[in-house]
Amino acid sequence: MLAQIFTLAERPELEQRLDEVADPWPEFIHHDQVLNARWDDLYTRWPEFQLVLVDTETEEVLGKGNTMPVAWDGQVETLTGGVVDVFEREFPNPNVLCAVVAVVDAKQQGRGLSGQIIGGMAETAGRAGLECLIAPVRPTWKDRYPLVPLEDYMRWTRDDGMPFDPWIRLHARLGAELLAVAPRSLDISGSAADWESWTGMHFPQDGDYVVPGALVPVRFEGGVGRYLEPNVWMRHEPR
Ligand SMILES: CC(C)(COP(=O)(O)OP(=O)(O)OC[C@H]1O[C@@H](n2cnc3c(N)ncnc32)[C@H](O)[C@@H]1OP(=O)(O)O)[C@@H](O)C(=O)NCCC(=O)NCCS
């Protein structure tokens, strides 16, 4: 395998093949209205910031990474809420690159390919003359601990001192610095019927529910369920 990163500006024909990367997400993740309304902007406005990981020997699409340029003054206090907040805003004078998502196809996971996507994002930031790459990191094991505050979870470490969470660890191993909780990276609301169709669970009364694949509980109030997903802001130097 010879895995190589391309941007969609370099190889526009790859955009048609992104669906070859299996969708890894629980159904509810697809129901953030802001993201759904603005997702295509990534491809129309910033093809040079959309990455595809390709096996150049077989031309197989192995994974993908989405980023967009944003403005940030480098202060932890002024970081936006997360992915959905970034999508809601316009940044007339962007100076940093913001990661949106990275996915390695399920058949290819566990081979160290994700580092190439994140490294490719940092290289893309460097090539574009941007000051750094910031990433609202979605910790891959947080759904196992939905009741633990992310402020605590993100600082859990293993015996070797590395972060406990595999995805935070991957970023840390690539040199990223942990900044803060991103409190609003997804904001998904729906009726009990919506949530039932998304999860196969029942929500007969108001209250907090632990839902498979959710990093924090889904809260029902007045029959409406809201999932406010927190992520972890991390910062990479450009390469
Ligand atoms: C998270 C993801 C990108 C990792 O890609 P990968 O190429 O399989 O990962 P790597 O082989 O580079 O391993 C990176 C770390 O993640 C861990 N890991 C790999 N697959 C994993 C999985 N399915 N779930 C949790 N952790 C996983 C590895 O153990 C490794 O940590 P370690 O070597 O320090 O123990 C990939 O599993 C994926 O696409 N998942 C679904 C989408 C997602 O969660 N994306 C990240 C948030 S946007």
Side-chain angles (χ1 to χ4, degrees):
M1 176 187 295
L2 197 61
Q4 197 178 329
I5 288 282
F6 297 97
T7 71
L8 288 182
E10 291 166 331
R11 290 193 56 185
E13 83 284 2
L14 288 173
E15 186 177 344
Q16 310 308 322
R17 298 189 50 209
L18 294 176
D19 287 349
E20 293 173 23
V21 177
D23 177 7
W25 307 113
E27 177 57 32
F28 67 84
I29 297 270
H30 298 300
H31 296 276
D32 183 305
Q33 304 213 336
V34 173
L35 252 66
N36 287 348
R38 298 211 48 201
W39 190 258
D40 289 347
D41 286 4
L42 292 173
Y43 299 99
T44 51
R45 295 178 68 176
W46 302 294
E48 71 276 31
F49 295 133
Q50 312 316 316
L51 310 184
V52 191
L53 185 66
V54 178
D55 181 344
T56 53
E57 288 171 346
T58 63
E59 276 300 302
E60 191 177 354
V61 176
L62 306 168
K64 56 190 177 182
N66 299 104
T67 66
M68 63 187 275
V70 304
W72 180 48
D73 65 5
Q75 304 299 312
V76 172
E77 300 74 33
T78 58
L79 282 163
T80 59
V83 175
V84 69
D85 276 354
V86 163
F87 272 75
E88 276 173 345
R89 292 174 54 184
E90 275 295 325
F91 299 97
N93 298 306
N95 64 327
V96 308
L97 194 62
C98 181
V100 175
V101 70
V103 179
V104 171
D105 185 71
K107 296 190 297 294
Q108 310 293 345
Q109 288 178 10
R111 297 175 167 191
L113 292 174
S114 65
Q116 270 184 267
I117 300 180
I118 304 303
M121 291 178 175
E123 277 169 28
T124 303
R127 229 180 9 245
L130 296 166
E131 291 168 27
C132 64
L133 170 72
I134 54 174
V137 173
R138 182 177 203 268
T140 45
W141 279 359
K142 179 66 173 72
D143 60 342
R144 301 179 181 191
Y145 307 92
L147 306 181
V148 175
L150 184 53
E151 289 79 353
D152 298 338
Y153 175 87
M154 71 182 190
R155 301 202 185 277
W156 288 3
T157 51
R158 306 191 302 193
D159 288 346
D160 64 1
M162 291 300 286
F164 167 80
D165 183 85
W167 195 227
I168 296 178
R169 185 162 69 243
L170 186 280
H171 283 264
R173 206 177 271 139
L174 292 175
E177 152 194 24
L178 200 62
L179 297 176
V181 167
R184 185 168 177 257
S185 254
L186 290 174
D187 194 343
I188 298 168
S189 284
S191 65
D194 289 334
W195 280 98
E196 286 176 15
S197 72
W198 299 339
T199 63
M201 292 171 64
H202 290 289
F203 303 96
Q205 64 181 66
D206 281 353
D208 289 351
Y209 289 84
V210 171
V211 166
L215 308 192
V216 295
V218 177
R219 169 159 295 181
F220 276 81
E221 279 175 355
V224 174
R226 185 175 184 203
Y227 174 62
L228 206 49
E229 177 172 295
N231 288 173
V232 178
W233 280 116
M234 296 186 76
R235 177 189 185 282
H236 292 256
E237 289 297 325
R239 289 192 182 176

